[in-house]
Amino acid sequence: MKKLISLLLIVSLLAVPVMAYALEAETTPTSTSEWRSVADPAYTPAPTPTPAATQDAAGEWRSVSAAATPTPSAEAAKKTPKPTKTPKNVTPTPVPTAAPWFNDTAIIGDSVSDGLRIYAEYKKKKEPNFLGELQFMTTISYSLTYASASNPKKLVKYGGRSYKPEDALAAMGAKKVFIMLGLNDIFHAAQDNRVKYEKLINNIREKNRDIKICLIGITPIVTEGQYSKFQNENVTDYNVMVEDLARSKGCDYINFNGSLQDKTGGLKPEYSRDGFVHMKGHAFEIFASALTREAKWMSR
């Protein structure tokens, strides 16, 4: 009997948790903490509570549970690194336009023209296209006597070699040539100089049939530097002959002495490096400008 009572007691103790679990599964708490069966028709699930709201500094209402976007403080803004700026496209320095009108062009002359060669070499260090590809066939003390001779004692140079003018132009393949000669011939009679000049033109055309030729009047002498036959009056007379020769031979002619002369008709002293006939500085700019204008005209 005692064993039977003990067995019933153990069974009753085991049944209590099972009934409690079943009861919990069949009921759910209400909003008033009552336990009600979900099968009960009167049961209505408790609504999910709406989070409390708050008004932010901008006057907008936000849920306190929402993750508000933090506004950085002024101090934090200072510490925020600025975005790296994308470099703007850098416009390259324009390359100076070349002077195509000097392509296939040469100048034949004496020490005055050779002075322009030296000036151009200096100028090209800053202005690479100064006078373009103009070829200088210039020689100190050069003259019509040498230039027109069959076997001259003086020659001009091209490509490191010495030539007679017509041969140098042919070797170069020149299409245009400036000739500025006569200052060293001013001692001779005007007619003699004309014959020599005409012979030079003929020699050039014989070996360079389509070449364009421009004769240049010789430049003035500093008035205080005149002596013997080196007189500005003789310079003027010589240039009249050259202009007439150019017209008769179908050559161009230029004379830029008006830009070089002072009120006496001589070379401005400030344009001369020796107080005589050799020029410097701005005088060479005038010379170069005259050549440029004519080269453009001849290239048309």
Side-chain angles (χ1 to χ4, degrees):
M1 179 61 76
K2 290 181 178 180
K3 289 182 179 181
L4 180 61
I5 293 172
S6 298
L7 180 60
L8 292 173
L9 180 60
I10 291 171
V11 171
S12 63
L13 289 174
L14 292 173
V16 171
V18 175
M19 294 176 62
Y21 175 79
L23 180 61
E24 182 178 2
E26 292 294 321
T27 58
T28 185
T30 65
S31 59
T32 57
S33 299
E34 293 184 40
W35 289 91
R36 183 173 296 172
S37 171
V38 295
D40 187 344
Y43 167 74
T44 302
T48 303
T50 302
T54 184
Q55 192 173 25
D56 62 15
E60 297 183 2
W61 288 93
R62 297 179 185 277
S63 168
V64 293
S65 62
T69 302
T71 302
S73 64
E75 188 65 27
K78 290 181 181 179
K79 295 180 180 180
T80 303
K82 294 182 179 180
T84 304
K85 292 183 179 180
T86 303
K88 294 182 179 179
N89 292 330
V90 178
T91 302
T93 303
V95 178
T97 304
W101 40 86
F102 282 117
N103 292 348
D104 307 320
T105 305
I107 179 170
I108 297 171
D110 52 30
S111 57
V112 174
S113 301
D114 198 58
L116 178 62
R117 174 188 64 80
I118 296 170
Y119 182 77
E121 288 178 354
Y122 163 78
K123 196 71 180 286
K124 282 178 180 292
K125 293 178 180 178
K126 293 184 177 179
E127 298 179 30
N129 289 314
F130 182 74
L131 291 180
E133 297 298 321
L134 179 65
Q135 295 294 316
F136 285 87
M137 299 178 180
T138 53
T139 303
I140 295 174
S141 299
Y142 204 50
S143 66
L144 285 173
T145 301
Y146 293 130
S148 61
S150 299
N151 297 294
K153 294 180 180 180
K154 279 184 178 288
L155 299 167
V156 297
K157 288 188 176 181
Y158 172 71
R161 297 182 60 185
S162 297
Y163 297 91
K164 291 195 293 185
E166 60 270 25
D167 293 330
L169 294 171
M172 173 187 164
K175 301 299 182 184
K176 302 184 290 291
V177 62
F178 292 99
I179 305 175
M180 186 177 178
L181 291 171
L183 196 57
N184 293 313
D185 299 280
I186 208 167
F187 295 99
H188 306 298
Q191 184 58 33
D192 289 343
N193 285 332
R194 184 183 180 105
V195 170
K196 293 174 184 175
Y197 222 145
E198 187 168 3
K199 183 179 179 181
L200 173 61
I201 294 170
N202 291 340
N203 289 344
I204 290 173
R205 283 179 169 165
E206 184 178 345
K207 294 193 176 181
N208 304 270
R209 294 192 176 278
D210 297 322
I211 197 167
K212 294 181 179 180
I213 301 173
C214 177
L215 309 184
I216 307 174
I218 59 175
T219 50
I221 303 162
V222 175
T223 299
E224 290 76 11
Q226 299 177 101
Y227 74 94
S228 185
K229 289 280 188 175
F230 288 100
Q231 303 292 324
N232 283 316
E233 182 180 355
N234 292 336
V235 169
T236 300
D237 291 343
Y238 179 85
N239 285 341
V240 169
M241 180 275 291
V242 174
E243 183 177 9
D244 183 68
L245 176 64
R247 189 179 300 111
S248 67
K249 298 295 289 184
C251 302
D252 284 4
Y253 172 80
I254 59 172
N255 184 321
F256 52 92
N257 288 357
S259 299
L260 300 174
Q261 294 168 319
D262 60 15
K263 61 183 180 181
T264 69
L267 178 64
K268 292 179 180 180
E270 61 268 30
Y271 287 172
S272 175
R273 64 178 174 83
D274 59 2
F276 182 40
V277 296
H278 298 102
M279 300 185 293
K280 67 177 183 179
H282 189 64
F284 286 129
E285 292 290 340
I286 294 171
F287 194 167
S289 293
L291 292 181
T292 300
R293 286 192 299 271
E294 178 61 21
K296 288 181 178 179
W297 173 256
M298 296 170 75
S299 299
R300 70 195 189 285

